[in-house]
Amino acid sequence: ESTPIGYFTAANSADVVIARMEGCPDDRLKTIMSALVRHLHAAIKEVELTTEEWAAAIDFLTRTGQICSDWRQEFILLSDVLGASMLVDAINHDKGGGTTESTVLGPFHVENAPRRALGDSICLDGIGEPVLVRGRVTDEAGRPIPHALLDVWQANGDGFYDVQQQGLQPEMNLRGLFEADDEGRFWFRSIVPQYYAIPHDGPVGRLLIALGRHPYRPAHIHFIVAADGYEPVTTHIFMPGDPYLESDAVFGVKESLIATLRDLDEPAAAGAGEAPKRVVEWDFRLMRRRAAPAEPLS
Amino acid sequence: ESTPIGYFTAANSADVVIARMEGCPDDRLKTIMSALVRHLHAAIKEVELTTEEWAAAIDFLTRTGQICSDWRQEFILLSDVLGASMLVDAINHDKGGGTTESTVLGPFHVENAPRRALGDSICLDGIGEPVLVRGRVTDEAGRPIPHALLDVWQANGDGFYDVQQQGLQPEMNLRGLFEADDEGRFWFRSIVPQYYAIPHDGPVGRLLIALGRHPYRPAHIHFIVAADGYEPVTTHIFMPGDPYLESDAVFGVKESLIATLRDLDEPAAAGAGEAPKRVVEWDFRLMRRRAAPAEPLS
Ligand SMILES: [Cu+2]
Ligand SMILES: [Fe+3]
Ligand SMILES: [Fe+3]
C-alpha cells in the first residue's frame, strides 16, 4: 500500500489524494490528475462550497452527460463556454510567423464532406444572400501552395447546421471539399453567414442564462486547410461588423481572423442560380510541417 | 454588451471568461464559476494539455454521465475518488468539541428504511457473522439524549448493498431506523461488515486502475443520527484492523471513527437466529443545534 501521510483533512486534502497515485504507471496521467486535484481542491476551498452547491454540481454534470447523443456533445459545449476549448487551442497552436491562426473545431464538423469543383455552390437549398468566397493558399513567404485542400462548412441562413436539422435541410448542405488550383487559388459560392446561437435548450444553455451571458456566436465560415508538407490549420473566418465579434459565446474570435466582405463589381464566376453581388476574400498561410524530432542514436 | 478586455489569449484567458459574467444576477454563482474558471485554466496551462488529452477528458465525462441511472451515480463516485466529496464534508462540518465527526453519505442511502425495534436484526438473509451493535447517543457533556433516531445501513457479507443486488438480496436488507430508549441507549443485531469495492466496472473504476489505485473501502456501518435540538450527523463507524483503513478509495476514514469490535461474554440480547458472539460498541455525541443568525433589524 502507499505510504500513509495521515488521514484526510481540509488542510492536507490534495496531498493525501495525490499521494494515493504514487503507484500510477503512467507518468503523464499522474501529472494531469495531480494538477486537476490540486486546482479543484483549491477552488472548492476558496469558495467554501456548501453541500447543496456540491449536489447541484453533481446534478448539472449528470444532466450534461445524459443529453449527449450521436448528434449532440454537451460537454464540448461546456468546455467551449468556459473558454477551456480555446485555451487548449491556444496552448497547442502558438505559432506566430504570420501564418493563419487556428480556432475551435466546434461540434458540427462532419468527415467526408462531398468533393466539389471550384466555382460550385455549397448552398443546396438556395436560402440566404449569395456570396462568392475566394482567396489563395500560400506558404509563410506568400508563395502559392498548388492543390491545397479546403474543407468548408457553415450554418444556414437560419443559424443551423445541416446536422442540427436533419430532414429539414438537404444532407451535406453548406459543406464541401475543394482543391485549390495550380496557383493555390480557390473560389466557391455560398451564402453570407449570420450570427447564430449555440444549442441552448440544455444544461449548458441554462447555465449561460444564469450567468447573464448570451448564447451567440458571430457569423463565420469554418475551414480546415491542408497540404502535403504543411501543418494543417483548423480555423474560421469571421464576418466584419458582426455585433458579437467581441462577445463570442465560445471565445473563438481572433483579430487576425476577421475577413473582408465587399460588393463584387466584376461579373460573378459562372454557375447556376442567382449571381453573388458580394465577395468574401481571404488568403490562408500555412506553416511548413516541423521535422519530427530526431530519435536519439544510442 | 460587456466591456471588451481584448480578445482571448492563453495569457488572459481566465480574465476574459470571468469578465463575461459581469451581468450575472446571482453573486454566489458568479463567485463559484469565477473560481472554477480560474483554477481550471490554471490546471490546463500547468500541464499544457494537448488536444488529444482534452478529447479524452470530454469522452471520459460523457461516458461518466451516460452510465448514471436511478441506481447508479457515477459522478458522485468520481467526486468521491478525487477527494472532492470528503473536502466538501470537511469544510461544512468543521465542528470540534469532541462531538461525533461526519463523513461522506455515499451513494447507497435510501429514504424511508423500515422502522425496527431495539434488539431486532437488520440482516434479512442470515448471511455473515452475527454481531451486536450497541451504544448511546449523548450530548457534548455525555448526558443521554432520549429517543434519538438512528438511520443505519451497511453492505452484506459479499460487499454489496441491497440496491446493488435487487432481486438477489431481500429488499431493505441491512437497513433500519431505530429509536434510542429513555436513556439514549440503542442496540440491534447485524453482521460484521467486510471491506468492499466501490462499483468499478465503469469509467471511474477504469480511472482508478489507470492511476494504480485499488477500489476498496474499509469495512464500515453507515449512520445518520438525529434528535430534536441537535445537529444531525451523517457518518460511518469503521471496523478496527481493516487492511484498507489507511487507503480508503474515497478518503472517508477519520481516526475518531474507528470503533471497537470484541468478543461478547454476556449472554446476547434476546431475538431469533444465531446469537452474536461479538459486539461493536459505539457512542454518538451530538452538537446542540446552532441558533439561526439573527436577522438585521433595519
Ligand atoms: Cu488553482
Ligand atoms: Fe460554427
Ligand atoms: Fe458504504
Side-chain angles (χ1 to χ4, degrees):
Chain A
E1 300 307 298
S2 59
T3 319
I5 61 164
Y7 292 110
F8 186 103
T9 67
N12 71 5
S13 68
D15 290 336
V16 169
V17 177
I18 290 167
R20 204 66 72 75
M21 304 178 196
E22 213 171 53
C24 179
D26 179 339
D27 276 344
R28 178 64 181 163
L29 181 65
K30 191 172 168 180
T31 301
I32 291 171
M33 292 305 295
S34 298
L36 179 69
V37 164
R38 199 170 295 289
H39 289 282
L40 176 65
H41 284 221
I44 290 172
K45 287 180 205 186
E46 184 178 314
V47 302
E48 299 189 354
L49 198 71
T50 70
T51 306
E52 293 68 35
E53 289 161 350
W54 170 86
I58 294 289
D59 184 54
F60 175 84
L61 291 169
T62 305
R63 285 183 287 111
T64 300
Q66 303 221 311
I67 207 176
C68 290
S69 71
D70 285 354
W71 294 113
R72 177 154 188 166
Q73 227 313 344
E74 194 84 354
F75 274 116
I76 291 187
L77 211 57
L78 178 60
S79 168
D80 290 352
V81 303
L82 297 181
S85 308
M86 270 310 285
L87 179 56
V88 170
D89 173 78
I91 289 170
N92 288 279
H93 299 101
D94 184 10
K95 306 193 300 191
T99 54
T100 302
E101 289 195 283
S102 58
T103 188
V104 283
L105 176 66
F108 300 120
H109 180 245
V110 165
E111 301 287 334
N112 302 315
R115 194 76 176 236
R116 302 198 191 280
L118 291 169
D120 276 0
S121 179
I122 58 174
C123 175
L124 306 182
D125 57 8
I127 302 171
E129 187 194 352
V131 74
L132 180 67
V133 182
R134 71 179 172 197
R136 278 192 145 194
V137 183
T138 74
D139 68 9
E140 288 160 82
R143 286 175 300 233
I145 303 178
H147 309 294
L149 273 178
L150 300 101
D151 190 350
V152 186
W153 68 106
Q154 73 170 73
N156 76 354
D158 294 331
F160 295 101
Y161 288 85
D162 55 355
V163 293
Q164 293 179 284
Q165 294 193 315
Q166 292 175 70
L168 246 101
Q169 288 188 44
E171 255 184 80
M172 296 291 176
N173 192 29
L174 293 160
R175 299 180 185 274
L177 212 57
F178 293 93
E179 185 180 322
D181 72 5
D182 286 343
E183 293 171 71
R185 289 175 303 202
F186 65 89
W187 63 98
F188 61 89
R189 291 179 181 202
S190 185
I191 56 159
V192 178
Q194 305 296 323
Y195 64 78
Y196 67 78
I198 59 172
H200 59 292
D201 56 340
V204 171
R206 285 191 290 275
L207 174 65
L208 278 184
I209 289 158
L211 289 173
R213 289 174 52 182
H214 67 71
Y216 296 104
R217 298 212 59 205
H220 59 274
I221 306 174
H222 292 261
F223 283 89
I224 298 174
V225 184
D228 276 353
Y230 294 86
E231 294 287 341
V233 64
T234 297
T235 194
H236 314 346
I237 61 179
F238 292 92
M239 296 303 105
D242 189 285
Y244 296 110
L245 277 175
E246 281 178 347
S247 64
D248 182 358
V250 308
F251 307 97
V253 180
K254 292 177 178 174
E255 209 153 1
S256 73
L257 295 176
I258 301 172
T260 57
L261 172 66
R262 58 173 187 77
D263 291 345
L264 187 61
D265 8 64
E266 332 101 79
E274 199 188 335
K277 296 194 179 64
R278 306 235 270 166
V279 62
V280 171
E281 283 169 318
W282 188 257
D283 292 339
F284 292 97
R285 280 180 186 241
L286 302 189
M287 188 171 62
R288 273 231 161 265
R289 192 181 287 280
R290 279 170 276 223
E295 296 283 328
L297 283 176
S298 81
Chain B
E1 299 305 301
S2 59
T3 318
I5 62 162
Y7 291 112
F8 187 102
T9 67
N12 71 4
S13 67
D15 291 334
V16 170
V17 177
I18 290 167
R20 204 67 73 74
M21 304 177 196
E22 213 170 54
C24 179
D26 178 340
D27 275 344
R28 178 64 181 162
L29 181 66
K30 190 173 170 180
T31 299
I32 292 171
M33 293 304 295
S34 297
L36 179 71
V37 163
R38 199 170 295 288
H39 289 281
L40 176 66
H41 283 222
I44 290 172
K45 287 179 202 185
E46 183 178 314
V47 303
E48 298 189 354
L49 197 72
T50 69
T51 307
E52 293 70 32
E53 289 161 349
W54 170 85
I58 294 288
D59 183 54
F60 174 85
L61 291 168
T62 305
R63 284 183 289 111
T64 299
Q66 303 221 309
I67 207 176
C68 289
S69 70
D70 284 352
W71 294 111
R72 178 156 188 164
Q73 226 312 343
E74 194 83 357
F75 273 116
I76 290 187
L77 211 57
L78 178 61
S79 167
D80 289 352
V81 304
L82 296 182
S85 308
M86 272 308 286
L87 180 56
V88 170
D89 173 78
I91 290 170
N92 289 281
H93 300 100
D94 185 9
K95 307 194 297 191
T99 54
T100 302
E101 289 194 283
S102 58
T103 187
V104 281
L105 175 68
F108 301 120
H109 181 247
V110 163
E111 300 287 333
N112 302 316
R115 193 78 174 237
R116 301 196 193 281
L118 291 168
D120 277 0
S121 179
I122 58 173
C123 176
L124 306 181
D125 57 7
I127 300 170
E129 188 194 352
V131 75
L132 180 67
V133 181
R134 70 178 174 199
R136 277 192 145 196
V137 184
T138 74
D139 68 8
E140 288 160 82
R143 287 175 299 234
I145 303 178
H147 309 293
L149 273 179
L150 300 101
D151 189 349
V152 186
W153 68 106
Q154 72 170 75
N156 76 353
D158 294 331
F160 294 100
Y161 289 85
D162 56 354
V163 293
Q164 294 179 283
Q165 294 194 315
Q166 290 176 73
L168 246 101
Q169 289 188 43
E171 254 184 81
M172 297 290 176
N173 193 28
L174 294 160
R175 300 180 184 275
L177 213 57
F178 293 93
E179 184 180 323
D181 72 5
D182 285 344
E183 294 172 70
R185 286 176 307 201
F186 65 90
W187 63 98
F188 62 89
R189 290 179 181 202
S190 185
I191 55 160
V192 178
Q194 305 297 322
Y195 63 77
Y196 66 77
I198 59 172
H200 58 292
D201 57 337
V204 171
R206 285 191 289 276
L207 174 65
L208 278 184
I209 289 157
L211 289 173
R213 288 175 53 180
H214 67 71
Y216 295 105
R217 298 212 59 204
H220 58 274
I221 306 174
H222 293 260
F223 283 89
I224 299 174
V225 184
D228 276 354
Y230 295 86
E231 294 287 340
V233 63
T234 297
T235 193
H236 315 346
I237 61 178
F238 292 94
M239 296 304 106
D242 190 284
Y244 297 110
L245 277 175
E246 282 180 342
S247 64
D248 181 358
V250 309
F251 307 97
V253 181
K254 291 177 177 174
E255 211 154 2
S256 74
L257 296 175
I258 302 172
T260 57
L261 172 66
R262 61 173 185 78
D263 291 345
L264 186 62
D265 8 63
E266 331 102 78
E274 200 188 335
K277 297 194 181 62
R278 307 233 270 167
V279 62
V280 171
E281 282 168 320
W282 188 257
D283 293 339
F284 293 96
R285 279 178 185 244
L286 302 189
M287 189 171 65
R288 273 231 165 266
R289 193 182 288 279
R290 278 170 277 222
E295 296 283 328
L297 284 176
S298 79

